[in-house]
Structure formats: C-alpha cells, structure tokens
Amino acid sequence: MGEPDEVAVRGGGPPQETGGAGGRHGTGEQSEPPTRRQRWLARLAFAAAIAAVVVLLLPGGLKSIIALLLGLAGLAVGCAAAWWFLANRGIVRWLACVVLVAVPVFIIVVYVVAALLWEVVLAFVLAAAAAAAGRAALSSGHASAGPPEYPAARQHQPFLIMNPRSGGGKVGKFGLKDKATALGAEVALLEGPGFVDVAALARQAADRGADLLGVAGGDGTQALVAGIAAARDVPMMVISAGTRNHFALDLGLDRDDPASCLDGLTDGVELRIDLGLIGDRTFVNNASFGVYAEVVQSPAYRDDKAGTVLQMLPDMLGGHQGAHLVVRVGGKVILDGPQAVLVSNNPYEGGDIAGLGRRARLDQGVLGVIGVKVANAAQAAGLLNKAARSRELTALTAREVIIDSDQPQIPVGIDGESVLMPTPVSCTISPLALRVRVPRDRPGVPAPRPRLDWARLRHLALPFARTAGGTHAARSGIS
C-alpha cells in the first residue's frame, strides 16, 4: 500500500482536505468578494468581543481577573473530576461526584460574593454573539453545494423494506406502507417472527428485477441494503424512519417527515456517494472501536446500560480490560493504545471536542478518523485547552485505515450494530459506489460552519487593513 493522501489534524480541529480523490471538492472557503452584510457582521463580531472584555474587566479590575481565573480553574477541575468518576469505583467515584456538583456551585458563589455574576453572564452572552456574528461573516451565505444531482430514470419495480418497530413505530405513524404501495412500490415489513436477513431480502428482490431498493429503518439496516444496491448498481432510497437518522440527515432529507422521502419515487434525482467498507461489510456512517464497542458488546448492556457502562469503564480506561488497539495508516502507526477510535464514511465537521456533528459531503473519497487517548485526569482537563488537546485527540483523513490489536478478534460498532471482527481490521472507502434516489425538493445539507478566523475577520471588518506584504487582502479580493 502506497503513501495515503491524508493530513493529521491536532487539537480537535476539522479534518483537512486531502489531495487526490480526497481533494475533488473545495473546502467551502469563500472566494468571491465579501458582501456589505459580511463586512458589518465582522465589525459586529469585533464590537461584541470588545464589549465582552470591557463588561468583564472594567467594573472589577483585578477582582474580575481573579474571578475569571477561578472560573477557568473550576472548569479544569470539573473535567478532572469527570475522569475520576468514570475511571474509578467505590469511594473515589463518589468523591469525584461530589466535586462535580460542588465545582459549579463554588464558581457561582465566587461570582456572587464578588458581585460579578451579572457581568460574567453578560460577558458570556456577548462572547457567544461575537462568535455567531463572526461565523456568519465568514460564511458565504450559500447552501452547501452537496454532491452533484443526476436525472433519475423512472423506476418500474421499486422494492422497499420497512421495519415497523424502528424509530418508535414511524412506519405506522406516518402510514409509510400504504403510501409507498399507492405509488407502485412493493413493500416488505420486517415483522418476524424471529430474525429476518435483510441483506438476503434485498438480494432476492434484486434477483427478481427490482430496480430500486429502499429502506425505512435504522442506519444499520440502511447499511446492509446499501451494500446490495451498490453491488447490483441499482439506486437506493433512504426513508428517515429510524431513531436518529444520521445518514438521512447527511443526505439532506427531512427527518421529521419520513413520508416526504417517498416523493423521490415520483419526482426524484440521483446522488452518487461513497461507501465505507470494513472487511466485507459496508457502512454508511461510521465504525467505532474501543470503549463504546466493548461496552455495547457486553451481554449486560441491553438490560442495564448505565450500570454496565459504570462497571466496565474503570478497567477499560485504565488499560486493565479490553483490547489494546493500534491504528495504522500507510504502514505507519498513527495511534498506539487509544481508548476509542471512530472511522467514518467521509470526515465529520469539527468544532467540538469529539469532532462529531454532521458530514457536509459524502463524496470526498476519504475516510475520517478520530482517535482519543486520555490516560489520566490531567489529560482529561487538558481537553479544554486547544493546544494541549493535540496530545489526546487526533483527527485525520485517509483512504485506508488498519486497526490492529493484541486480541484475535475485537468488537466493532458498525452503524450502531455491534459485531466481533478478526484482527487486523481493514477500513477502506469505495468512492461514488452508491446511487441514492432523493426527492428533488428536500431540506438539503447546510453549509458547514466556518472556523472562527479572527485574521480573516479583521480584513473583512477593516477593508484598508494589510498584512506585511498586503498579499492576504489581495488574495481575498478585499480592497
């Protein structure tokens, strides 16, 4: 295997665009000249940020600075206490629980005693307003381009699989079976009794001549049918009748009205998207390794989720239980001994510690990889610090990822379904492998939130500002 096209990103930022197939599409950065609205939003961001500092520091001076530092220290102690609570049992866990409750109370008391509570609250509101205005200014204001749309041929034998229990009974609540049948689709309900092989059901339908395979169910069921649809080169229809519907969300479908997905049968377009492969299985969202997969694999998890998590985490976080994972990309060890690894079909947007949210594109031709390695309370507290976070959180993109272990097989969560897989586990991307039929009229995928870049905001807010060589403004089209 040759060198992959991937860029590691430290500190929990968004995975960077890669070259080759991973760089087919732009990053969403604006290239057109800024609008008047963007300029004024940038100025509003600076005004709100300055006001937040003034409100916080001017009334109390040194007292305000001390109170602010105590608040930041309290946050760090809270993160450390959360680690102690999860990584220990017995008296240490309950002492950590006391600290978790006491820290926010202590911070509020400090601000009240210092007569700074309203200043702190107002400063946080102004800081949030500055961030919101700044991101709005850096956004082009256009919806995400999304994958290209292709004309959809009329389907003569659509076949839809529906799980009546999925999503709390959405199939029955929205009358999906009757509506699909009225539109000419054959519908198979997963009513049992016993286990129903969804993949075999889809494969048999394709053998009978089905020219569209659809699923109303959870993402795990969607992934099974996606593999069959890709192999047979027939379009797939996603109906958002699951509980969370992450796949439908990233396709821009309406998650609140599953019946609207059926409009694709009569007025639809086709998208070409990537599929993730793990061994011989496909995944549409992600494959998880480590803590989450180990916990879900436990027989006790189904009956007592919270209790099982609290019982298993101390040994797993301490390295006394669970498989030792090694993550390799391009033959190089990227992570050794992480507690959790998430491999996704295209990278998730960044912006939070976990790096999770939604995927703006499903056709970039790369996997997203996020790994977490936290060994002690100090590192858990360090997740609050973007610079320190680089040691605990790793994010990158690649076309192939190998997860190895000291165990012959490891649990893996594939789109929420827990399975055991022999090691090493290979995850790859199959670019543009799946044809997806979606309604022409749908909510769509919003453009990803831009990174809060104060240097770019300065050039928006002050059009006469220049860098040392004046090149930044010239490249940005700002005069």
Side-chain angles (χ1 to χ4, degrees), residues 71 83 97 121 129 203 209 211 251 284 398-400 422 429 459:
W83 169 266
C97 183
V121 172
R203 196 176 294 110
D211 51 7
L251 287 171
V284 294
R399 291 189 179 88
E400 182 176 12
I429 192 78
H459 286 279

Side-chain angles (χ1 to χ4, degrees), residues 343-435:
V343 179
S344 59
N345 174 19
N346 284 260
Y348 286 96
E349 297 173 25
D352 55 32
I353 289 178
L356 303 182
R358 62 185 304 165
R359 296 161 293 175
R361 301 293 295 252
L362 290 172
D363 61 343
Q364 298 181 79
V366 288
L367 298 167
V369 184
I370 297 173
V372 179
K373 184 177 181 179
V374 179
N376 52 52
Q379 291 180 359
L383 289 172
L384 289 173
N385 186 309
K386 186 173 182 179
R389 197 187 306 167
S390 62
R391 296 188 296 270
E392 290 81 44
L393 189 66
T394 300
L396 55 88
T397 59
R399 291 189 179 88
E400 182 176 12
V401 182
I402 305 296
I403 312 292
D404 209 345
S405 173
D406 57 353
Q407 302 293 324
Q409 58 181 10
I410 56 175
V412 185
I414 304 177
D415 286 333
E417 304 288 336
S418 180
V419 299
L420 284 172
M421 300 196 72
T423 55
V425 179
S426 172
C427 300
T428 57
I429 192 78
S430 183
L432 307 182
L434 182 64
R435 300 160 57 193

Side-chain angles (χ1 to χ4, degrees), residues 17 67 97 145 172 213 243 277 335 389 413 437 459 467:
E17 198 87 32
C97 183
L213 298 175
T243 302
L277 297 173
L335 277 169
R389 197 187 306 167
R437 173 74 68 91
H459 286 279
T467 57

Side-chain angles (χ1 to χ4, degrees), residues 110-149:
V110 167
Y111 290 153
V112 169
V113 170
L116 292 172
L117 184 60
W118 76 266
E119 287 95 336
V120 171
V121 172
L122 181 57
F124 272 110
V125 171
L126 288 169
R135 286 197 171 95
L138 294 172
S139 173
S140 65
H142 303 298
S144 176
E149 296 181 356

Side-chain angles (χ1 to χ4, degrees), residues 29-43 133-142 453 455-466 472-479:
E29 295 285 345
Q30 65 184 43
S31 56
E32 66 275 7
T35 64
R36 181 183 179 88
R37 173 179 175 274
Q38 287 176 293
R39 292 192 188 282
W40 280 106
L41 282 170
R43 291 163 186 161
R135 286 197 171 95
L138 294 172
S139 173
S140 65
H142 303 298
D453 186 336
R456 288 183 60 209
L457 280 174
R458 177 168 59 88
H459 286 279
L460 285 173
L462 305 173
F464 51 81
R466 291 289 186 270
H472 181 101
R475 286 198 304 268
S476 302
I478 300 173
S479 60

